[in-house]
Amino acid sequence: MELRVLKYFLMTAREENITKAAGLLHITQPTLSRQLMQLEDELGVKLFNRSNHNIKLTEDGMLLRRRAQEIISLAEKTKEEFSGSNGELAGEVSIGCGETRNMNFLSARIAQFREQNPLVRFNIFTANADDIKERIEKGLIDLGLMMEPVDISRYEFVRMPMREQWAVMVKEDSPLAQKEFVTPQDLIGVPLIFVYRRPVKNELANWFGKYYDNIEIAATYNLVLNAVSMVQNGVGAAICFVMDNTYPGVKLIPLYPKLDTGAVLVWKKEQPASAASVKFVEDVKKCISGISDNAI
C-alpha cells in the first residue's frame, strides 16, 4: 500500500466522484480508476459502491478511510520530526487537550517556547481523555493534557499547577442563576447535561451522594461548546468546569460542597520522542517547578 494511493483513495472518498477527484489530483480518470481497483485487489475487499453518477464507500471503505487518515497523519508527523534547518530545533509537537483553564497555562508555555524556537509548530487536538489516550497509543500525538480521574499507569506525566473546579451552567433567567453556589438538592428536578466519560460520571455521582438516583440526565457531551449550545437552547443545566471564557445567555455557579479535579500532561513511557517534544516537556517541567518553589 503506497501513501500516494491512499491519498488518491481519500480524495475520491471525499468527492464521491472519480472524475472530479482525478481533476483535483491532476491525474486522468482512467489512471485513478485503475489505482483504486488495484487497491481493492490488494486488500481483497470492495471499497466503493459505484453508480452512474457517484460512488459511495462500503463499510470496508469507511474503515480504510479512518485508517488511511491515521496513516497519512502519522507519515506527515514523522516527516516533520526529521525536518530541520541549520541545526535549529524544528518539527511539530502534537498535543491532545481537554477544555480546561490549564490550557491557558499550556498556551503561555507554547508562546514562550516558540519565541526561542520559531521553527517548531504545535498541533492541538481537542478531545476528551479517552480519545487523547487512543491517539497517543497510535503515535498520532506526542502529549496529552487530561483531566483526572484517568488511568496514567502506561504514561510518564507532570501534574499541572491548577485544579479545575466544577460548576453548573444555567441560563441567565434560571432560578439557579441567582444562587451563590448550587447543592445536590438544588438540582433535583432540573434536566442535567452530563459529561460523557464514565470515570467522571462516577466522580459526580459521589458528589450527588444519596440524591444521585433522583436526578434527571437529559443529555451528555464531550466538548464544552456543545454543552453551552444545549444550555442556551433550554435542554437543561450542564455540569462542567469553571471556565475563564464567557458565553452569552448563560451563567456558571460553583458546586457546593466544592468539587475540583487535577490535570496531568502525559506522554507514553519508553516511547522515542522528537527533540522538539522532549525540549517542550523540559520547559513545562521547569516552569511548573518554579511555580511550586514560589508557593512554598
Side-chain angles (χ1 to χ4, degrees):
M1 235 185 313
E2 299 180 32
L3 291 178
R4 170 178 56 83
V5 177
L6 288 179
K7 290 178 180 179
Y8 289 176
F9 165 76
L10 288 174
M11 179 66 76
T12 307
R14 189 188 78 180
E15 297 301 324
E16 298 184 343
N17 183 286
I18 291 182
T19 302
K20 187 174 181 180
L24 292 171
L25 291 166
H26 306 293
I27 59 176
T28 65
Q29 185 269 335
T31 298
L32 178 57
S33 294
R34 184 172 62 254
Q35 294 282 357
L36 294 175
M37 286 188 289
Q38 289 175 351
L39 181 60
E40 288 180 319
D41 289 341
E42 180 182 355
L43 295 174
V45 297
K46 185 178 180 181
L47 299 174
F48 295 100
N49 289 317
R50 295 167 172 82
S51 68
N52 292 333
H53 303 291
N54 59 19
I55 58 176
K56 297 284 187 180
L57 288 173
T58 63
E59 289 189 9
D60 288 323
M62 292 178 187
L63 174 59
L64 180 61
R65 179 174 59 185
R66 188 171 62 186
R67 293 290 181 257
Q69 288 168 338
E70 293 173 352
I71 291 169
I72 297 299
S73 176
L74 186 56
E76 292 175 349
K77 184 177 183 300
T78 302
K79 184 178 178 180
E80 287 284 347
E81 289 175 350
F82 283 96
S83 66
S85 178
N86 299 321
E88 292 186 65
L89 190 64
E92 180 180 275
V93 180
S94 298
I95 308 176
C97 299
E99 297 172 303
T100 78
R101 287 188 295 173
N102 275 287
M103 187 58 195
N104 292 332
F105 168 82
L106 206 58
S107 296
R109 305 285 69 74
I110 290 172
Q112 186 178 55
F113 188 85
R114 292 202 72 254
E115 286 181 3
Q116 300 173 2
N117 306 281
L119 297 181
V120 176
R121 182 177 65 191
F122 284 81
N123 176 32
I124 304 301
F125 171 76
T126 303
N128 64 27
D130 296 332
D131 292 334
I132 290 170
K133 287 169 66 176
E134 180 181 355
R135 293 180 78 88
I136 290 177
E137 292 297 324
K138 291 179 177 178
L140 298 174
I141 58 176
D142 304 297
L143 310 169
L145 175 60
M146 299 190 288
M147 300 302 102
E148 297 176 308
V150 61
D151 180 9
I152 54 175
S153 59
R154 294 169 58 89
Y155 306 99
E156 302 286 354
F157 70 94
V158 58
R159 195 167 299 282
M160 292 289 101
M162 183 182 300
R163 291 188 66 83
E164 304 291 340
Q165 184 176 0
W166 286 92
V168 60
M169 180 191 299
V170 299
K171 294 183 70 173
E172 287 181 339
D173 59 1
S174 166
L176 294 176
Q178 308 306 315
K179 291 182 172 290
E180 183 179 352
F181 53 81
V182 171
T183 68
Q185 299 97 307
D186 293 328
L187 297 176
I188 301 301
V190 177
L192 297 178
I193 303 167
F194 250 49
V195 291
Y196 180 77
R197 290 185 61 230
R198 181 168 297 279
V200 180
K201 282 184 180 180
N202 293 339
E203 289 286 304
L204 292 173
N206 290 335
W207 179 79
F208 275 100
K210 64 181 181 180
Y211 298 99
Y212 184 72
D213 290 336
N214 301 112
I215 66 172
E216 175 190 350
I217 299 179
T220 60
Y221 72 94
N222 67 338
L223 294 177
V224 170
L225 282 178
N226 291 332
V228 172
S229 177
M230 286 190 283
V231 173
Q232 290 171 330
N233 286 281
V235 175
I239 308 294
C240 61
F241 290 137
V242 172
M243 303 290 289
D244 292 331
N245 299 343
T246 58
Y247 301 100
V250 302
K251 184 177 179 182
L252 281 168
I253 305 103
L255 300 184
Y256 182 84
K258 182 180 179 181
L259 180 64
D260 58 20
T261 187
V264 288
L265 183 68
V266 310
W267 57 98
K268 198 169 181 181
K269 290 180 179 178
E270 301 176 358
Q271 176 172 286
S274 67
S277 62
V278 170
K279 176 63 175 173
F280 180 67
V281 168
E282 289 175 353
D283 282 14
V284 170
K285 286 181 177 179
K286 183 176 179 180
C287 182
I288 292 176
S289 177
I291 293 173
S292 300
D293 291 344
N294 291 335
I296 296 175

Coordinates of all heavy atoms in Angstrom, one line a residue, residues 194-258:
F194 N -24.8 16.0 31.3 CA -23.6 15.4 32.0 C -22.4 15.2 31.0 O -22.6 15.1 29.8 CB -24.0 14.1 32.5 CG -24.1 14.0 34.0 CD1 -24.8 15.0 34.7 CD2 -23.5 13.0 34.8 CE1 -24.9 14.9 36.1 CE2 -23.6 12.9 36.1 CZ -24.3 13.9 36.8
V195 N -21.3 15.1 31.6 CA -20.1 14.7 30.8 C -20.3 13.3 30.3 O -20.9 12.5 31.0 CB -18.8 14.9 31.6 CG1 -18.5 16.4 31.8 CG2 -18.9 14.2 32.9
Y196 N -19.6 12.9 29.2 CA -19.8 11.6 28.6 C -18.9 10.5 29.3 O -19.4 9.4 29.4 CB -19.4 11.7 27.1 CG -19.5 10.4 26.4 CD1 -20.8 10.0 25.9 CD2 -18.4 9.7 26.0 CE1 -20.9 8.8 25.2 CE2 -18.5 8.5 25.3 CZ -19.8 8.1 24.9 OH -19.9 6.9 24.2
R197 N -17.7 10.9 29.8 CA -16.8 9.9 30.3 C -17.3 9.2 31.6 O -17.7 9.9 32.5 CB -15.4 10.5 30.6 CG -14.7 10.9 29.3 CD -13.3 11.4 29.7 NE -12.5 10.3 30.3 CZ -11.9 10.5 31.5 NH1 -11.9 11.7 32.1 NH2 -11.2 9.5 32.0
R198 N -17.3 7.9 31.6 CA -17.8 7.2 32.8 C -17.0 7.5 34.1 O -17.7 7.7 35.1 CB -17.8 5.7 32.5 CG -18.4 4.8 33.7 CD -18.6 3.4 33.2 NE -19.6 3.3 32.2 CZ -20.9 3.4 32.5 NH1 -21.4 3.5 33.7 NH2 -21.8 3.3 31.5
P199 N -15.7 7.5 34.1 CA -15.0 7.8 35.3 C -15.4 9.1 35.9 O -15.5 9.3 37.2 CB -13.5 7.8 34.9 CG -13.4 7.0 33.7 CD -14.7 7.2 33.0
V200 N -15.6 10.1 35.1 CA -16.1 11.4 35.6 C -17.5 11.4 36.1 O -17.8 12.0 37.1 CB -15.9 12.5 34.5 CG1 -16.4 13.9 35.0 CG2 -14.5 12.6 34.0
K201 N -18.3 10.6 35.4 CA -19.7 10.4 35.9 C -19.7 9.8 37.3 O -20.5 10.2 38.2 CB -20.5 9.5 35.0 CG -21.0 10.1 33.7 CD -21.8 9.1 32.9 CE -22.3 9.7 31.6 NZ -23.1 8.7 30.9
N202 N -18.8 8.9 37.5 CA -18.7 8.3 38.9 C -18.3 9.3 39.9 O -18.8 9.3 41.1 CB -17.7 7.2 38.8 CG -18.1 6.0 38.0 OD1 -19.3 5.8 37.7 ND2 -17.2 5.2 37.5
E203 N -17.4 10.2 39.6 CA -17.0 11.3 40.5 C -18.2 12.2 40.8 O -18.4 12.5 42.0 CB -15.9 12.2 39.9 CG -14.5 11.5 39.7 CD -13.8 11.4 41.1 OE1 -13.6 12.4 41.8 OE2 -13.5 10.2 41.5
L204 N -19.0 12.5 39.8 CA -20.1 13.4 40.0 C -21.2 12.6 40.8 O -21.9 13.2 41.7 CB -20.7 13.8 38.7 CG -19.8 14.8 37.9 CD1 -20.4 15.1 36.5 CD2 -19.6 16.1 38.7
A205 N -21.3 11.3 40.6 CA -22.3 10.5 41.4 C -21.9 10.5 42.8 O -22.8 10.6 43.7 CB -22.3 9.1 40.8
N206 N -20.6 10.5 43.1 CA -20.2 10.6 44.5 C -20.5 11.9 45.1 O -20.9 12.0 46.3 CB -18.7 10.3 44.6 CG -18.3 8.9 44.3 OD1 -19.1 8.0 44.5 ND2 -17.1 8.7 43.9
W207 N -20.4 13.0 44.3 CA -20.8 14.3 44.8 C -22.3 14.4 45.1 O -22.7 14.9 46.2 CB -20.4 15.4 43.8 CG -20.7 16.8 44.3 CD1 -20.0 17.5 45.1 CD2 -21.9 17.5 43.9 NE1 -20.7 18.8 45.3 CE2 -21.8 18.8 44.6 CE3 -22.9 17.3 43.0 CZ2 -22.7 19.8 44.4 CZ3 -23.9 18.3 42.9 CH2 -23.8 19.5 43.5
F208 N -23.1 13.8 44.3 CA -24.5 13.9 44.5 C -24.9 13.0 45.7 O -25.9 13.3 46.3 CB -25.3 13.4 43.2 CG -25.5 14.5 42.2 CD1 -24.7 14.6 41.1 CD2 -26.6 15.4 42.3 CE1 -24.9 15.6 40.2 CE2 -26.8 16.4 41.4 CZ -25.9 16.4 40.3
G209 N -24.2 12.0 45.9 CA -24.5 11.1 47.1 C -25.8 10.5 46.9 O -26.2 9.9 45.9
K210 N -26.6 10.5 48.0 CA -27.9 9.9 48.1 C -28.9 10.5 47.1 O -30.0 9.9 46.8 CB -28.5 9.9 49.5 CG -28.8 11.4 49.9 CD -29.3 11.4 51.4 CE -29.7 12.8 51.8 NZ -30.2 12.8 53.2
Y211 N -28.6 11.7 46.5 CA -29.6 12.3 45.6 C -29.4 11.8 44.2 O -30.2 12.2 43.3 CB -29.4 13.8 45.7 CG -29.7 14.4 47.0 CD1 -28.6 14.7 47.9 CD2 -31.0 14.7 47.5 CE1 -28.9 15.3 49.1 CE2 -31.2 15.2 48.7 CZ -30.2 15.5 49.6 OH -30.4 16.0 50.8
Y212 N -28.3 11.1 43.9 CA -28.0 10.7 42.5 C -29.1 9.9 41.8 O -29.4 10.1 40.7 CB -26.7 9.9 42.5 CG -26.2 9.6 41.1 CD1 -25.7 10.6 40.3 CD2 -26.3 8.3 40.5 CE1 -25.3 10.3 39.0 CE2 -25.9 8.0 39.2 CZ -25.4 9.1 38.5 OH -25.0 8.8 37.2
D213 N -29.7 9.1 42.6 CA -30.8 8.2 42.0 C -32.0 9.1 41.6 O -32.9 8.6 40.8 CB -31.2 7.1 42.9 CG -30.2 6.1 43.1 OD1 -29.3 5.9 42.2 OD2 -30.2 5.4 44.1
N214 N -32.1 10.3 42.0 CA -33.3 11.1 41.8 C -33.0 12.2 40.7 O -33.9 13.0 40.4 CB -33.8 11.8 43.1 CG -34.1 10.8 44.1 OD1 -33.5 10.7 45.2 ND2 -35.2 10.0 43.9
I215 N -31.8 12.3 40.1 CA -31.5 13.3 39.2 C -32.0 12.9 37.8 O -32.1 11.7 37.5 CB -30.0 13.7 39.1 CG1 -29.2 12.5 38.6 CG2 -29.6 14.2 40.5 CD1 -27.7 12.9 38.4
E216 N -32.2 13.8 36.9 CA -32.6 13.6 35.5 C -31.5 14.0 34.6 O -31.1 15.2 34.5 CB -33.9 14.4 35.2 CG -34.3 14.3 33.7 CD -35.4 15.2 33.4 OE1 -36.0 15.9 34.3 OE2 -35.7 15.4 32.2
I217 N -30.9 13.0 33.9 CA -29.9 13.3 32.9 C -30.5 13.4 31.5 O -31.0 12.4 31.0 CB -28.8 12.2 32.9 CG1 -28.1 12.2 34.2 CG2 -27.8 12.5 31.8 CD1 -27.0 11.1 34.4
A218 N -30.6 14.6 31.0 CA -31.3 14.9 29.7 C -30.3 14.6 28.5 O -30.8 14.3 27.4 CB -31.8 16.3 29.7
A219 N -29.0 14.8 28.7 CA -28.1 14.7 27.6 C -26.7 14.6 28.1 O -26.4 14.8 29.3 CB -28.2 15.9 26.6
T220 N -25.8 14.1 27.3 CA -24.3 14.1 27.7 C -23.5 14.8 26.6 O -24.0 15.1 25.5 CB -23.8 12.6 27.8 OG1 -24.0 12.0 26.5 CG2 -24.6 11.9 28.8
Y221 N -22.3 15.2 26.9 CA -21.5 15.9 26.0 C -20.0 15.6 26.2 O -19.7 15.0 27.3 CB -21.7 17.4 26.2 CG -21.0 18.0 27.5 CD1 -19.8 18.5 27.5 CD2 -21.7 17.9 28.7 CE1 -19.2 19.0 28.6 CE2 -21.2 18.4 29.8 CZ -19.9 18.9 29.8 OH -19.3 19.4 31.0
N222 N -19.2 15.9 25.3 CA -17.7 15.7 25.5 C -17.0 17.0 25.1 O -15.8 17.1 25.4 CB -17.2 14.5 24.6 CG -17.2 14.8 23.2 OD1 -18.0 15.6 22.7 ND2 -16.4 14.1 22.4
L223 N -17.6 18.0 24.5 CA -17.0 19.3 24.3 C -17.9 20.4 24.8 O -19.1 20.4 24.7 CB -16.7 19.5 22.8 CG -15.7 18.5 22.1 CD1 -15.7 18.8 20.6 CD2 -14.4 18.7 22.7
V224 N -17.2 21.3 25.5 CA -18.0 22.3 26.3 C -18.9 23.2 25.4 O -20.0 23.5 25.7 CB -17.0 23.2 27.1 CG1 -17.7 24.4 27.6 CG2 -16.4 22.4 28.2
L225 N -18.4 23.5 24.2 CA -19.2 24.4 23.3 C -20.5 23.7 23.0 O -21.5 24.4 22.8 CB -18.4 24.7 22.0 CG -17.3 25.8 22.1 CD1 -16.6 26.0 20.8 CD2 -18.0 27.1 22.6
N226 N -20.6 22.4 22.8 CA -21.8 21.7 22.6 C -22.7 21.8 23.8 O -23.9 22.0 23.7 CB -21.6 20.3 22.2 CG -20.9 20.1 20.9 OD1 -21.1 20.9 20.0 ND2 -20.2 19.0 20.7
A227 N -22.1 21.7 25.0 CA -22.9 21.9 26.2 C -23.5 23.3 26.3 O -24.6 23.5 26.7 CB -22.0 21.6 27.4
V228 N -22.7 24.3 26.0 CA -23.1 25.7 26.0 C -24.4 25.9 25.1 O -25.4 26.5 25.5 CB -22.0 26.7 25.6 CG1 -22.6 28.1 25.4 CG2 -20.9 26.6 26.6
S229 N -24.3 25.3 23.9 CA -25.4 25.4 23.0 C -26.7 24.8 23.5 O -27.8 25.4 23.4 CB -25.0 24.8 21.6 OG -26.1 24.8 20.7
M230 N -26.5 23.6 24.2 CA -27.7 23.0 24.7 C -28.3 23.8 25.9 O -29.5 23.9 26.0 CB -27.3 21.5 25.2 CG -27.2 20.6 24.0 SD -27.0 18.8 24.5 CE -25.3 18.8 25.1
V231 N -27.4 24.4 26.7 CA -27.9 25.2 27.8 C -28.7 26.4 27.2 O -29.8 26.8 27.7 CB -26.8 25.6 28.8 CG1 -27.3 26.6 29.8 CG2 -26.2 24.4 29.5
Q232 N -28.1 27.1 26.3 CA -28.7 28.3 25.7 C -30.0 28.0 25.1 O -30.9 28.8 25.1 CB -27.7 28.9 24.6 CG -26.5 29.5 25.2 CD -25.5 29.8 24.1 OE1 -25.4 29.2 23.0 NE2 -24.7 30.9 24.3
N233 N -30.2 26.8 24.6 CA -31.4 26.4 23.9 C -32.4 25.7 24.8 O -33.4 25.1 24.3 CB -31.2 25.6 22.7 CG -30.6 26.4 21.5 OD1 -31.4 27.1 20.8 ND2 -29.3 26.4 21.3
G234 N -32.1 25.6 26.1 CA -33.1 25.1 27.1 C -33.2 23.6 27.3 O -34.1 23.1 27.8
V235 N -32.1 22.9 26.8 CA -32.1 21.4 27.1 C -32.0 21.1 28.5 O -32.6 20.2 29.0 CB -31.0 20.8 26.3 CG1 -30.9 19.3 26.6 CG2 -31.1 21.0 24.8
G236 N -31.2 21.9 29.2 CA -31.0 21.7 30.7 C -29.9 22.5 31.2 O -29.4 23.4 30.6
A237 N -29.4 22.1 32.4 CA -28.2 22.7 33.0 C -27.0 21.8 32.9 O -27.2 20.6 33.1 CB -28.5 23.0 34.5
A238 N -25.9 22.3 32.6 CA -24.7 21.5 32.3 C -23.8 21.5 33.5 O -23.5 22.6 34.0 CB -24.0 22.0 31.1
I239 N -23.3 20.3 33.9 CA -22.3 20.2 34.9 C -20.9 20.3 34.1 O -20.7 19.4 33.2 CB -22.4 18.8 35.6 CG1 -23.8 18.6 36.2 CG2 -21.3 18.8 36.7 CD1 -24.2 19.6 37.3
C240 N -20.1 21.2 34.4 CA -18.9 21.5 33.7 C -17.9 22.2 34.6 O -18.1 22.5 35.7 CB -19.2 22.3 32.4 SG -19.8 23.9 32.8
F241 N -16.7 22.4 34.0 CA -15.6 23.1 34.7 C -15.9 24.6 34.7 O -16.5 25.1 33.7 CB -14.3 22.8 34.1 CG -13.7 21.5 34.3 CD1 -13.1 20.8 33.3 CD2 -13.8 20.8 35.6 CE1 -12.6 19.5 33.5 CE2 -13.3 19.5 35.7 CZ -12.7 18.9 34.7
V242 N -15.5 25.3 35.7 CA -15.4 26.8 35.7 C -14.4 27.1 34.6 O -13.3 26.7 34.5 CB -15.0 27.4 37.0 CG1 -14.8 28.9 36.9 CG2 -16.0 27.1 38.1
M243 N -14.9 28.0 33.7 CA -14.0 28.4 32.6 C -13.8 29.9 32.6 O -14.6 30.7 33.2 CB -14.7 28.1 31.2 CG -15.0 26.6 31.0 SD -13.6 25.5 30.9 CE -13.0 26.0 29.2
D244 N -12.6 30.3 32.1 CA -12.4 31.8 32.0 C -13.2 32.4 30.9 O -13.4 33.7 30.9 CB -10.9 32.0 31.8 CG -10.0 31.6 33.0 OD1 -10.5 31.6 34.1 OD2 -8.9 31.2 32.8
N245 N -13.6 31.7 29.9 CA -14.4 32.2 28.9 C -15.8 32.6 29.3 O -16.3 32.0 30.3 CB -14.6 31.2 27.7 CG -13.2 30.8 27.1 OD1 -12.2 31.5 27.3 ND2 -13.2 29.7 26.4
T246 N -16.4 33.6 28.7 CA -17.8 33.9 29.0 C -18.7 33.6 27.7 O -18.2 33.8 26.6 CB -18.0 35.4 29.4 OG1 -17.4 36.2 28.3 CG2 -17.2 35.7 30.6
Y247 N -19.9 33.2 28.0 CA -20.8 32.8 26.8 C -22.1 33.6 27.1 O -22.6 33.7 28.2 CB -21.0 31.3 26.8 CG -19.8 30.5 26.7 CD1 -19.2 29.9 27.8 CD2 -19.2 30.3 25.4 CE1 -18.0 29.1 27.6 CE2 -18.0 29.6 25.3 CZ -17.5 29.0 26.4 OH -16.3 28.2 26.3
P248 N -22.7 34.1 26.0 CA -23.9 34.9 26.1 C -25.1 34.0 26.6 O -25.3 32.9 26.2 CB -24.2 35.4 24.7 CG -23.4 34.5 23.8 CD -22.2 34.0 24.6
G249 N -25.8 34.6 27.5 CA -27.1 34.0 28.0 C -27.0 32.9 29.0 O -28.0 32.3 29.3
V250 N -25.7 32.6 29.5 CA -25.6 31.6 30.5 C -24.7 32.1 31.6 O -24.0 33.1 31.5 CB -24.9 30.3 29.9 CG1 -25.7 29.8 28.7 CG2 -23.5 30.6 29.5
K251 N -24.8 31.4 32.8 CA -24.1 31.7 34.0 C -23.5 30.5 34.6 O -24.2 29.4 34.6 CB -25.0 32.5 34.9 CG -24.2 33.0 36.2 CD -25.2 33.8 37.1 CE -24.4 34.3 38.3 NZ -25.3 35.0 39.2
L252 N -22.3 30.6 35.2 CA -21.7 29.4 35.9 C -21.8 29.7 37.4 O -21.4 30.7 37.9 CB -20.3 29.3 35.5 CG -20.0 28.6 34.1 CD1 -18.5 28.8 33.7 CD2 -20.3 27.1 34.2
I253 N -22.3 28.7 38.1 CA -22.4 28.7 39.6 C -21.6 27.6 40.2 O -21.9 26.4 39.8 CB -23.9 28.7 40.1 CG1 -24.7 29.8 39.4 CG2 -23.9 28.9 41.6 CD1 -25.6 29.3 38.3
P254 N -20.7 27.8 41.1 CA -19.9 26.7 41.6 C -20.7 25.7 42.4 O -21.8 26.1 43.0 CB -18.9 27.4 42.6 CG -18.9 28.8 42.1 CD -20.2 29.1 41.5
L255 N -20.3 24.5 42.4 CA -20.9 23.4 43.2 C -20.5 23.5 44.7 O -19.4 23.9 45.0 CB -20.6 22.0 42.7 CG -20.9 21.7 41.2 CD1 -20.5 20.3 40.9 CD2 -22.4 22.0 40.9
Y256 N -21.4 23.1 45.6 CA -21.1 23.1 47.0 C -21.8 21.8 47.6 O -23.0 21.6 47.3 CB -21.7 24.3 47.7 CG -21.3 24.3 49.2 CD1 -20.1 24.7 49.6 CD2 -22.2 23.8 50.1 CE1 -19.7 24.7 51.0 CE2 -21.9 23.7 51.5 CZ -20.6 24.2 51.9 OH -20.3 24.1 53.2
P257 N -21.1 21.0 48.2 CA -19.6 21.1 48.6 C -18.7 21.2 47.4 O -19.0 20.7 46.3 CB -19.3 19.8 49.4 CG -20.7 19.3 49.8 CD -21.6 19.7 48.7
K258 N -17.7 21.9 47.5 CA -16.7 22.2 46.4 C -16.2 20.9 45.8 O -15.9 20.0 46.6 CB -15.6 23.0 46.9 CG -14.6 23.4 45.8 CD -13.4 24.2 46.4 CE -12.4 24.6 45.3 NZ -11.3 25.4 45.9

